[in-house]
Amino acid sequence: MEKKEVQDLVIETIKEFVDNNGIETEEVTVTQRLIGRSGIFDSIGLVNFLVDLEEVLEEKYDRVFSLSSERAMSRSTSPFSNVEELTKFILELDDEE
């Protein structure tokens, strides 16, 4: 997996999710906050987005990704803070495969 490819996939999945769910946001960038103040998602929205992203990743890479695991939730730096951190987390999961 290449970082740019995963990052683009995350951004594209966010764009589709916000369009399909009527969420208003500015242009989605790598530094765009996903959750928290000025974030795109509330907690339920984040969970639903992660389910969609897991499906997209599974289709593209033919393997299962568990993005909302206890491991993800207990990190000191949340992998859900922005697109950059989420991309790093996906790449870490891939390296462990």
Side-chain angles (χ1 to χ4, degrees), residues 68-82:
S68 57
S69 65
E70 183 177 326
R71 176 180 168 203
M73 302 299 177
S74 64
R75 295 170 69 117
S76 59
T77 301
S78 172
F80 313 122
S81 59
N82 59 42

Side-chain angles (χ1 to χ4, degrees), residues 9-10 13 49-57 67 86 90:
L9 189 64
V10 169
T13 305
F49 162 71
L50 292 175
V51 169
D52 285 2
L53 183 57
E54 287 171 346
E55 290 174 4
V56 168
L57 290 167
L67 300 177
L86 182 53
I90 293 167

Side-chain angles (χ1 to χ4, degrees), residues 8-70:
D8 289 346
L9 189 64
V10 169
I11 289 172
E12 188 58 38
T13 305
I14 291 171
K15 287 178 181 178
E16 287 178 21
F17 186 88
V18 298
D19 285 347
N20 293 338
N21 291 281
I23 299 170
E24 291 192 28
T25 186
E26 296 178 18
E27 182 180 353
V28 179
T29 65
V30 295
T31 59
Q32 172 70 50
R33 291 201 51 81
L34 300 180
I35 196 160
R37 190 180 352 185
S38 74
I40 296 173
F41 306 115
D42 61 15
S43 56
I44 299 298
L46 177 66
V47 170
N48 291 328
F49 162 71
L50 292 175
V51 169
D52 285 2
L53 183 57
E54 287 171 346
E55 290 174 4
V56 168
L57 290 167
E58 185 174 348
E59 283 180 24
K60 178 144 181 87
Y61 298 107
D62 195 31
R63 62 170 290 227
V64 176
F65 287 84
S66 181
L67 300 177
S68 57
S69 65
E70 183 177 326

Side-chain angles (χ1 to χ4, degrees), residues 1 63 65 88-97:
M1 296 174 80
R63 62 170 290 227
F65 287 84
K88 287 180 193 176
F89 184 62
I90 293 167
L91 291 171
E92 284 177 28
L93 293 175
D94 184 56
D95 285 344
E96 294 171 1
E97 177 66 13

